[in-house]
Amino acid sequence: MTYLMYIGYLVVFGVAVTAVIGLLASWIDRKVTARVQYRVGPPLLQPVIDLVKLLGKETLIPSGASRTMFLAAPLIGFASVIAVSTILWTNSLSGGRSFLGDLVVVVYLLAVPSMSIILGGFASGNPLASVGASREMKLVMAYELPFVLACLVPVILSGYTLKLGDIVGYQTQHGAIALSGGGALALIVCILCMQAKLALVPFDAPEAETEICGGVLIEYSGPVLALYRLMKTMLLFVLPFFIIIVFMGGLRLDGIHLVLFVLKYVGLVALITVIRNTNPRLRIDQAMRFFWGPMTVVAVIAVGLALMGW
Amino acid sequence: MSVTLNALLKSPWVFHLSTGSCNNCDIEVLDCLTPRFDIERFGMLLAGSIKHADVLLVTGSCNRQSAERLKRLYDQVPKPCLVVAIGECSQSRGMFIHSYNCPKPLDAIIPVDVYIPGCPPKPEAIIAGVVNLIQKVKGAA
Ligand code: SF4
């Protein structure tokens, strides 16, 4: 029975609900961007139409590419995103079902999409894709340190637990972690790391269209490209969801809390869009300096504050 | 008409290729992306990579150097794909018709689906041309 339940969670919440919300969020992102620039913007179904169209196109594999890796890379990334979203949903919908250390698993799995992009970029054998992949690699090294440090803050504040369920439980009793000093700082760090994980401006150096023509994804076409795009749109839901769970009280289904959850999520997506529309692209060395310098310092301060119980 | 082809007409990503234009047509193509015309309304996006493109917008008079590359790029577009010839140059070679360097017009090199005349065509004309193209594909299917 429990197997069936987990498969249900995987298919219904891990894939379907996450994809629908992600597609909606990516439409909001494009529409808001258009409105900021005084344009009309795409119709509501545009992200879905894009995906359907890509399914009908040819998949071209460059002759210099390593074929298996080229095709497997997007699957690896996609699978890890599904795994994360299933863990997060299971945790939020049936509270007792979290296991020891699921926070570690989630943080680990959230790094896999970037890895899959790096793998795909190098496997395609295109020089521009390789440049993009190496930039992505530097970006991963840059933001993982402050990201993990920031994720330690809720762990410390909720009494050294590595269970997402316990972190949410702590927040239900003592108020959201983001309301404490250390939590607020860590939240800021996490939001900027999320921007980099999504590879959006100002941290979109790996995909910079104007310099390296789309970078890592340059050789991908057809259904494989659709998989990558779906992975990215799902991340647009999974990452804010994760941040809401560890910093902002998580998802609760009773009355006002559900509305609050929706508001928090829309707020985070709006924040991502605003950051992306009001900033120029950073060079990769500037991005690394930013994460290893100010962001790491802020994250360390946040951990220090948390250790003192603030 | 199949679902995917229908979707293609609703989200044509365009790749913009200059085969030796005077750059004026290219500027008019970029105009279509500006707030005044905003072709993202129709789901069109400018693709950075040829592998993401559905529509090839060709400007310029196909000189000896670029004709070869044009052919190679056309082979690299994932099919189904559509080709739009923008500007006088890409149709009849315009004022370069007697040039030693422009031996063939565009449609003798790759198949062209729609022609948008003008030197350069206005952004309105480009959008109208693409709408015509969509109608044509719908009618044929
Ligand atoms: S058609 Fe006219 S504007 Fe366009 S590239 Fe040729 S000469 Fe320039």
Side-chain angles (χ1 to χ4, degrees):
Chain A
M1 264 323 279
T2 39
Y3 276 119
L4 274 183
M5 202 196 76
Y6 279 121
I7 292 174
Y9 270 118
L10 185 99
V11 175
V12 177
F13 290 104
V15 183
V17 176
T18 307
V20 169
I21 302 180
L23 288 168
L24 203 61
S26 79
W27 174 74
I28 294 177
D29 175 54
R30 280 172 72 173
K31 186 80 177 175
V32 170
T33 307
R35 295 308 302 164
V36 169
Q37 300 168 348
Y38 293 102
R39 293 190 284 117
V40 178
L44 177 60
L45 282 180
Q46 195 59 48
V48 186
I49 296 176
D50 287 350
L51 285 182
V52 174
K53 173 202 75 177
L54 285 173
L55 291 182
K57 302 272 290 181
E58 260 182 321
T59 304
L60 299 171
I61 298 170
S63 58
S66 111
R67 195 187 162 85
T68 329
M69 212 56 241
F70 185 76
L71 295 176
L75 281 177
I76 297 172
F78 190 61
S80 77
V81 173
I82 293 177
V84 177
S85 75
T86 312
I87 293 177
L88 295 181
W89 276 112
T90 326
N91 241 308
S92 307
L93 294 181
S94 51
R97 294 200 179 273
S98 67
F99 52 92
L100 184 64
D102 50 2
L103 178 66
V104 181
V105 176
V106 167
V107 170
Y108 173 77
L109 282 176
L110 279 178
V112 177
S114 310
M115 299 298 155
S116 83
I117 287 182
I118 294 171
L119 278 178
F122 279 131
S124 62
N126 183 307
L128 291 177
S130 299
V131 172
S134 80
R135 287 183 184 181
E136 175 87 28
M137 201 153 33
K138 286 173 199 136
L139 202 57
V140 172
M141 289 195 294
Y143 67 64
E144 276 309 318
L145 177 64
F147 183 66
V148 172
L149 279 177
C151 288
L152 279 180
V153 171
V155 175
I156 296 170
L157 282 177
S158 56
Y160 299 95
T161 167
L162 285 173
K163 268 177 154 183
L164 287 174
D166 290 354
I167 294 179
V168 174
Y170 170 85
Q171 297 184 71
T172 322
Q173 285 166 15
H174 300 87
I177 285 189
L179 296 180
S180 65
L185 286 181
L187 176 64
I188 295 172
V189 174
C190 256
I191 287 176
L192 286 163
C193 291
M194 169 170 76
Q195 195 84 5
K197 270 185 187 289
L198 291 167
L200 293 174
V201 190
F203 308 114
D204 69 333
E207 287 177 20
E209 277 134 26
T210 39
E211 307 165 24
I212 50 174
C213 316
V216 268
L217 300 184
I218 188 168
E219 291 289 350
Y220 279 96
S221 63
V224 206
L225 181 62
L227 209 54
Y228 261 133
R229 282 184 74 91
L230 191 58
M231 178 187 99
K232 293 213 152 183
T233 40
M234 282 168 75
L235 267 184
L236 197 55
F237 172 70
V238 171
L239 282 170
F241 192 24
F242 173 68
I243 287 186
I244 291 175
I245 286 181
V246 291
F247 288 107
M248 301 162 85
L251 166 63
R252 281 161 62 192
L253 294 174
D254 42 343
I256 185 77
H257 292 292
L258 188 61
V259 181
L260 279 180
F261 172 78
V262 174
L263 283 182
K264 285 172 198 164
Y265 176 64
V266 173
L268 279 177
V269 172
L271 193 60
I272 293 173
T273 312
V274 169
I275 295 179
R276 148 175 132 85
N277 278 305
T278 48
N279 282 286
R281 179 185 307 133
L282 290 180
R283 273 199 329 261
I284 188 69
D285 61 319
Q286 292 168 327
M288 284 186 85
R289 206 166 296 145
F290 176 72
F291 278 112
W292 279 356
M295 279 301 105
T296 307
V297 172
V298 173
V300 169
I301 294 174
V303 173
L305 286 179
L307 282 173
M308 288 189 281
W310 288 346
Chain B
M1 184 156 56
S2 72
V3 182
T4 46
L5 187 62
N6 209 344
L8 188 139
L9 297 180
K10 289 206 175 111
S11 110
W13 293 353
V14 299
F15 184 84
H16 168 204
L17 174 67
S18 162
T19 60
S21 68
C22 75
N23 222 335
N24 220 336
C25 280
D26 309 282
I27 288 170
E28 297 302 317
V29 169
L30 291 185
D31 272 352
C32 299
L33 295 165
T34 55
R36 191 178 180 88
F37 300 103
D38 184 29
I39 52 171
E40 205 189 355
R41 289 179 287 157
F42 309 116
M44 293 183 211
L45 284 183
L46 204 57
S49 154
I50 186 78
K51 300 274 170 89
H52 304 175
D54 308 301
V55 177
L56 208 53
L57 301 179
V58 188
T59 63
S61 52
C62 299
N63 55 39
R64 284 173 199 272
Q65 289 284 325
S66 56
E68 243 173 72
R69 279 143 186 101
L70 168 69
K71 226 185 293 173
R72 210 185 302 160
L73 274 176
Y74 181 72
D75 289 337
Q76 285 186 18
V77 195
K79 310 290 173 308
C81 105
L82 304 161
V83 180
V84 180
I86 294 178
E88 217 57 67
C89 280
S90 58
Q91 285 152 37
S92 62
R93 290 165 281 167
M95 61 172 147
F96 303 107
I97 192 158
H98 299 301
S99 165
Y100 68 94
N101 202 18
C102 302
K104 275 182 175 176
L106 173 68
D107 52 6
I109 304 175
I110 58 173
V112 174
D113 293 284
V114 78
Y115 302 86
I116 302 174
C119 180
K122 285 181 166 191
E124 290 95 328
I126 298 180
I127 293 174
V130 175
V131 171
N132 273 344
L133 171 68
I134 290 173
Q135 235 97 62
K136 180 184 151 190
V137 178
K138 270 194 183 150

